[in-house]
Amino acid sequence: MTNDNSNAMWGGRFAAGPDAIMEAINASIGFDQRLASQDIQGSCAHAAMLAAQGIITDSDAQAIREGLLTILSEIERGEFAFSATLEDIHMNVEGRLKELIGEPAGRLHTARSRNDQVATDFRLWVRDQTDAAGEALAALSRALVAQAGAGADWVMPGFTHLQVAQPVTWGHHMLAYVEMFARDRARFADARARMNESPLGAAALAGTSFAIDREMTAVALGFDRPCANSLDAVSDRDFALEFLGAASIAAMHLSRLAEELVIWSSAQFRFVTMSDRFSTGSSIMPQKKNPDAAELIRAKIGRIVGAQVALLTVMKGLPLTYSKDMQEDKEQVFDAADALMLALAAMTGMVRDMTANVAEMEAAAGSGFSTATDLADWLVRELGLPFREAHHVTGALVAMAEGNGCDLPDLTLADMQSVHSGIGEAVFEVLGVHNSVASRVSLGGTAPMLVRQQVARWEEELG
Ligand code: ARG
């Protein structure tokens, strides 16, 4: 006889129920209820397979299915009473099924364990998030491509070391991020292909003596195939780690873009004006308009990378197969996925709504002797100077301009000729920022013509 206080699902050999602290450390229902719909989907597929294989009767499978769908709607309507005594989502659902349909509920767990069940549920959940992340990245990329199309020939300073380096186009800068987010999409897609194998039917760890059909449940759940090794199936969490890896890199990209928006929207730069919809005010300084959303996006990587480190640390050194340590896999992944999706949505809104200050950017693009390389290249091309000598001559001209407190295009022809007699009037053409960017037509360069081609390519790819 089972003691009344012991667990209804596994209490057969127990004389007493768990200590309150035991229940507190053991229960996962507080968070794994997020797996409810995946759990029910998995159980429906399992029950249908058991019936198709003659392991349970069709009428039992039918009762189980109807009961599970009732539970799903109870959960969706917020009417389900989750119980910590029943530990986790799997036993909460099964416990309620027993209340609803009685004896057939006890047949659902034939040829199955919570080990393959949770591995299946969690894969389904991570797979959904992987798809959602890909879509959100595509939406952000579309917003960036729209900005790039509008500003294919707006000129801004390009930086190295955050020092003005050479003029670039706004469109080119936007499209640099589109490249990054395309790699992120590809990483999520790769991870999805690898994770899309079904653990269901691995049972506790060794498989089962029942004549189950793992292909059938795999197909029903949208998996490409069953996992080939039952031990691996129940103990693998690579799918979650790969998701977090892809999420970490995407979050790093978001953080870099966020940082640029913080810098660009400052009073010192004024390259962009963020919309009011994505800014906040200060409670003390009435003039302030703060880029809080960008700052929060910049910070989200902390929890996302933290989740990856936490899960790697949980998994390292775990002997095969399942250990309860693995219950610690979920909260981190849930939190990281939420953070990534929120950051992507906020960034998409900000990029869509922001206004580039074209005149400010153009003025800044001409500052800091940004066309010095154009001048050196001109000396090589037109006067046949070796590049090293051209570099030296240009350096002398920069020093002269700096001494005069002016920019390169403000030097007179006589100034120029005092440094190198061969320089002619035509040099002034390459000192303008528009000519500078238009001349950078090498593959992958910043020229507006190339930016327009890339915008067309991305519009085609992103739809
Ligand atoms: N709540 C558990 C988890 O999240 C489900 C699997 C429990 N398996 C077991 N053998 N106790 O990992």
Side-chain angles (χ1 to χ4, degrees), residues 265-309:
S265 62
S266 70
Q268 289 70 27
F269 272 74
R270 286 193 294 175
F271 287 4
V272 296
T273 305
M274 307 308 293
S275 80
D276 287 354
R277 298 185 342 131
F278 288 96
S279 306
T280 53
S282 156
S283 56
I284 177 168
M285 297 166 283
Q287 85 284 9
K288 286 291 286 280
K289 185 169 155 186
N290 294 328
D292 291 37
E295 295 168 80
L296 288 162
I297 293 168
R298 187 171 59 185
K300 289 292 181 199
I301 182 166
R303 49 211 303 161
I304 296 171
V305 174
Q308 191 183 23
V309 174

Side-chain angles (χ1 to χ4, degrees), residues 139-403:
L140 171 55
S141 300
R142 278 183 215 104
L144 288 161
V145 170
Q147 285 284 355
D153 53 11
W154 298 342
V155 182
M156 64 184 285
F159 298 91
T160 60
H161 317 268
L162 197 55
Q163 307 287 319
V164 171
Q166 293 172 351
V168 297
T169 48
W170 167 264
H172 200 48
H173 201 116
M174 294 295 113
L175 292 182
Y177 283 99
V178 176
E179 295 286 341
M180 296 176 225
F181 294 129
R183 290 195 294 276
D184 291 328
R185 284 188 293 130
R187 263 183 284 275
F188 280 113
D190 286 351
R192 188 195 203 281
R194 253 186 310 280
M195 79 176 66
N196 205 27
E197 294 186 343
S198 173
L200 194 57
L205 74 162
T208 174
S209 57
F210 290 97
I212 59 171
D213 182 350
R214 293 191 58 208
E215 299 282 351
M216 180 178 168
T217 46
V219 168
L221 297 171
F223 288 115
D224 294 330
R225 64 193 83 84
C227 300
N229 181 302
S230 64
L231 304 176
D232 178 48
V234 295
S235 64
D236 168 47
R237 293 294 182 271
D238 290 3
F239 60 92
L241 288 165
E242 284 199 50
F243 172 80
L244 293 173
S248 294
I249 298 177
M252 176 272 289
H253 292 149
L254 286 168
S255 187
R256 295 181 75 171
L257 177 53
E259 168 68 0
E260 299 216 276
L261 297 181
V262 169
I263 294 173
W264 293 352
S265 62
S266 70
Q268 289 70 27
F269 272 74
R270 286 193 294 175
F271 287 4
V272 296
T273 305
M274 307 308 293
S275 80
D276 287 354
R277 298 185 342 131
F278 288 96
S279 306
T280 53
S282 156
S283 56
I284 177 168
M285 297 166 283
Q287 85 284 9
K288 286 291 286 280
K289 185 169 155 186
N290 294 328
D292 291 37
E295 295 168 80
L296 288 162
I297 293 168
R298 187 171 59 185
K300 289 292 181 199
I301 182 166
R303 49 211 303 161
I304 296 171
V305 174
Q308 191 183 23
V309 174
L311 183 53
L312 277 169
T313 312
V314 166
M315 296 305 294
K316 82 164 276 294
L318 281 189
L320 300 187
T321 55
Y322 179 86
S323 296
K324 196 64 175 254
D325 309 50
M326 290 162 70
Q327 179 165 287
E328 291 287 317
D329 59 0
K330 286 175 269 304
E331 279 169 292
Q332 301 284 344
V333 176
F334 292 159
D335 183 73
D338 290 345
L340 179 68
M341 293 307 289
L342 186 56
L344 283 167
M347 184 59 92
T348 303
M350 275 196 308
V351 168
R352 241 181 232 149
D353 278 19
M354 72 186 176
T355 313
N357 301 327
V358 181
E360 306 274 359
M361 290 197 300
E362 184 166 328
S367 71
F369 314 108
S370 69
T371 53
T373 315
D374 299 84
L375 174 53
D377 288 351
W378 185 89
L379 294 168
V380 170
R381 218 173 24 246
E382 302 300 324
L383 305 186
L385 265 53
F387 183 77
R388 279 294 154 225
E389 192 185 334
H391 187 284
H392 193 79
V393 169
T394 306
L397 288 167
V398 166
M400 178 184 280
E402 204 165 31

Side-chain angles (χ1 to χ4, degrees), residues 28 32 88 90 114-115 118 322 324 326-327 329-330:
S28 54
D32 70 10
D88 57 24
H90 323 295
R114 275 188 293 156
N115 297 349
V118 73
Y322 179 86
K324 196 64 175 254
M326 290 162 70
Q327 179 165 287
D329 59 0
K330 286 175 269 304

